[in-house]
Amino acid sequence: MARNPDADSAPAPKAVKTSTIEFDADKAKTFKVVGSRPPRPDGMDKVTGRARFGADMVMPGQLVGLILRSPHPHAVIVSIDTTAAEALSGVKSVITRDDFAENADHHDVLCNIMAREKALYEGHAIAAVAATSKAVARKALKLIKVDYQILPHVTDVDLAMAPDAPLLHADMITSGVTPAPTKPSNIAGRSEFGHGDVEAGFALADVIIERDFKTAATHQGYIEPHACVANVGADGMSELWCCTQGHFHVRQVCASLLGIDVSRLRVTASEIGGGFGGKTTVFIEPVALALSRKAGRPVKIAMSRDEVFKASGPTASSSMNVKIGVTKDGHITAGEGEFRYQGGAFAGAPADFGAMSAFACYALDNVKTVAYDVVTNRPKGAAYRAPGAPMSVYAVESVIAELAGEIGMDPIELRLKNAAREGTKSSYGPKFGSCGLVETLEAARDHPHYSAPLGPNQGRGVASGFWFNFGGETCSTLNINADGTVAIAVGTPDIGGSRAAMCIMAAEELGIPYERVRTIVADTSSLGYNDTTEGSRVTFSSGMAVIKASRKAVTEMCNRAAMIWDIPAEAVTWEDGHAKPSGANAGEFEPMSLAEIAATASKTGGPIAGHHEYNADGAGVSFGTHIVDTEVDPETGRVDILRYTVVQDAGKAIHPDYVEGQFQGGAVQGIGWALNEEYIYGEDGRLQNAGFLDYRMPVASDLPMIDTVIVEVPNPGHPYGVRGVGETGIVPPLAAIANGVSAAAGVRLTELPMSPPRVLKAIDDAKVAAQ
Amino acid sequence: MSGIHVSTKINGDAVEFVCDVEETLLDVLRDKLGMTGSKEGCASGDCGACSVTVDGRLTCSCLMLGAEAEGHDIGTIEGIAKGTQLHPIQQKILDHAALQCGVCTPGFVVAAKALLEKNPDPTETEVRFWLAGNLCRCTGYDKIIRAVMDAAAEMRGQ
């Protein structure tokens, strides 16, 4: 599950050691490296095939691990007989639920990575083998006998909430309801957000629109399947290589599930072939470790694409109602919504994030949102880019567009009249600090795209979106090398070019060229704990740690120069990569460069380094506004995306290429979600499209160029003004495209994906209704 | 299980290997020959991360058996740069920041090179359709298309 992205409203007590460095407007005027677009440090390895991803590691004596998965969406596991598999030549270990002790801290994770009493979804892991070859491992899986008692299943969120629905967990009592229900259900939790009096607000409205919406479950769709190599020594000392967004989190969960000390497990994050939230938890890693422990040899597990679809963590499907009232002159008087998300077989659907972010773009006197977290017989969901927000914002922004049409107001104008801004009490509680929604709306309104002419069967859609952004536990070390180069270690896996951003920020602070700085992602034994790469936190949090570590190294370099010059340390300043004497009594000395100070470090006190550890606050929210032109073929219902523009507040773009890349990638994932992508279940509860042919992600020929506008409203909680940019980009597209398609088709679409049959049916139904 | 002896050429070098009948060329490249630049994203020919050329023709190595490499000339990502000298497509992908995670990048490089060898002056639409067999989930394709167009222009001497 994603971390709570909003440090201010986190239920946990505030960490003692938090820190921020406030935005420094003067420094921002003199940036030399920040804002440039140098090549990324890992680029050469990635264009030549040299970069090593999860499945690219080989350890001596390595075995192949495979997992046996349930063919049934819901069944009691009566018995598992592994005798024949264990007897097969070449099989070195077989494990089942009996090889993991019960674990109160990670109960759901344990039940998900290896089924206990019941299989809860098609693809749920039942047993695993490690063998000398894939062929032997495959044969061994076939020899495992599992006796299932098949149970009725449910995969739809509304059906799962019905009183007579098949029950997944006999002990699931809905949280957040007073008094607590006496009977178990599939509703894991209810939560509510808002303020004011919505009924009083609706009484003031001239126009009220209420609509029901549905969205299908989608998958993050990272191109690299989950893969890992585990190696447990006879003394219990263990190493794990895996593709993950958070190797420190992997270490903690795996150590707990295996019952070993954290210090006995070293986790190295490989290059990661996409994550988008889907690689923030564990699936195969504890299994590989348990197989390796039993076999006494390294074990590699690499998921197939079929396994990725069926047994990793897609996002929630949703069923929602939204009601908004507005006066004739465009004042929103009240907004209300109910958001029902199913997140698979265990609690944790991001319905609460959906309810919190649904109305975040608006300054409302009266707002109320209710979230239901529901379990079904589907794989347990994981985070997916701004988890929960795209669906709820799709519903709200669809109604906003319809209201604008009803009162005859430009939809950007309606949004500007009601936009959240600094000081607004947000729909989920806290007051917003400095933020850039108004600026994105104004930039969208003034963009040539917004006033370009449209042809027949074409429609333009606009939507805004929001994400909280997150800080979190972070540390970084910066070493000044003897040759004047700089080595940085961070603990946050780089999923989109963040190593380049770290190098830029250090070069800026130290006053040296970008090319002299290198950043690596250190393993869990080489650096202190770091939270996972999630919540759009890395350039903000690890970046600030790098800035602070740089400043500590600068202080030390000034001390060394002072020692050499035999003057007080206070009389030395750092400027353009050099220590310089300053002040009346400092004396006359030639400035010493970083390289000169580094070269003599052995004589002035030894190696020079900077380190910073903290709990990052002040992440700063990010808003965006998207414009899209769509064309609908009235004969087939097919939708083409003709033109697309992303406008988003980045606070400050450290490396603009990769900020644009986040905007473009988020928008295109949103295009897929809006038009094509969906988990399709048969009546048998089995996934019918577990492959890239039938789960249709956007390809190059589906798309136009994705235009971007980077708005920079500095985040006051970061010295350079940085805001996270990774997630907001996927929030507006669902609604923007729905608004464009609805305009082009002449009928309001309220269910995603807007696949050709669904669009065609909506057009035909509208024709029938008009007759 | 008896293995099949295969003699082939990979990136210009004579290579021999023994593979099982069901092993794909991708399995052989990655697991037998240590050439892990070609990636397995789907094993069904839908993502293009395993793209190689067979006698110059763009092929998904996950859809071809290792045994079928006998007597053919295979080109992989590992053979595209000449020492430290990048191919213009590789250089332009770096210049345009046309990668984020980079796992699809080898497949795009191989596919784009095959395109430009057939069609040195493609339109944007032609590039988009040729590369429609390569999935990228990070970039939205924008910068990749620009990089390939730019590489084509440079290779034409423009």
Side-chain angles (χ1 to χ4, degrees), chain A residues 37 39-40 42-44 46-49 51 53 55-56 134-135 138 219-225 271-274 276 303-305 384-385 495-497 655 657-658 660-662 664-666 668-669 677 691-693 695 697-701 703-707, chain B residues 1 20 22 27 30-31 36-44 46-47 49 77-78 81 84 86 89-91 93-106 108-109 124-125 127-129 131-143 145-146 149:
Chain A
R37 302 174 184 242
R40 57 195 284 161
D42 53 318
M44 183 70 96
K46 287 182 172 170
V47 298
T48 56
F53 292 84
D56 297 338
K134 203 169 184 177
R138 277 198 193 119
H219 195 274
Q220 297 85 353
Y222 34 81
I223 307 302
E224 180 202 30
E271 291 294 339
I272 176 170
F276 315 108
M303 275 194 182
S304 67
R305 181 55 56 182
Y384 180 17
R385 208 169 199 155
I495 54 177
H655 191 311
D657 277 344
Y658 292 105
E660 292 163 5
Q662 290 297 319
Q664 292 165 331
V668 169
Q669 284 186 317
E677 296 178 33
F692 281 144
L693 188 62
Y695 181 92
M697 306 199 310
V699 300
S701 56
L703 299 164
M705 294 298 185
I706 308 294
D707 201 1
Chain B
M1 193 179 297
D20 295 336
E22 78 274 16
D27 291 336
R30 291 182 53 83
D31 300 338
T36 54
S38 305
K39 307 298 179 190
E40 181 178 308
C42 66
S44 56
D46 297 312
C47 79
I77 182 65
E78 285 88 354
T84 57
L86 294 181
I89 292 169
Q90 294 171 311
Q91 187 60 51
I93 285 177
L94 290 182
D95 295 347
H96 286 262
L99 75 161
Q100 283 177 35
C101 81
V103 80
C104 70
T105 308
F108 271 97
V109 170
E124 182 192 325
T125 301
V127 174
R128 286 187 177 277
F129 275 83
L131 295 178
N134 291 77
L135 291 177
C136 169
R137 191 60 158 172
C138 294
T139 65
Y141 305 101
D142 181 298
K143 293 181 190 298
I145 304 300
R146 291 180 198 277
M149 299 289 288

Side-chain angles (χ1 to χ4, degrees), chain B residues 2-62:
Chain B
S2 60
I4 297 171
H5 180 268
V6 177
S7 300
T8 185
K9 198 182 261 189
I10 300 180
N11 300 328
D13 297 328
V15 172
E16 292 183 44
F17 56 84
V18 176
C19 66
D20 295 336
V21 283
E22 78 274 16
E23 275 183 298
T24 65
L25 176 59
L26 179 62
D27 291 336
V28 169
L29 288 173
R30 291 182 53 83
D31 300 338
K32 290 226 150 59
L33 303 177
M35 301 173 78
T36 54
S38 305
K39 307 298 179 190
E40 181 178 308
C42 66
S44 56
D46 297 312
C47 79
C50 66
S51 295
V52 299
T53 54
V54 179
D55 301 329
R57 182 175 173 169
L58 183 62
T59 303
C60 285
S61 61
C62 74

Side-chain angles (χ1 to χ4, degrees), chain A residues 117 206 281 288 362 375 381 538 583 592 672 718:
Chain A
E117 300 81 23
D206 295 313
T281 183
Y362 300 102
V375 297
V538 170
M592 280 188 83
H718 187 279

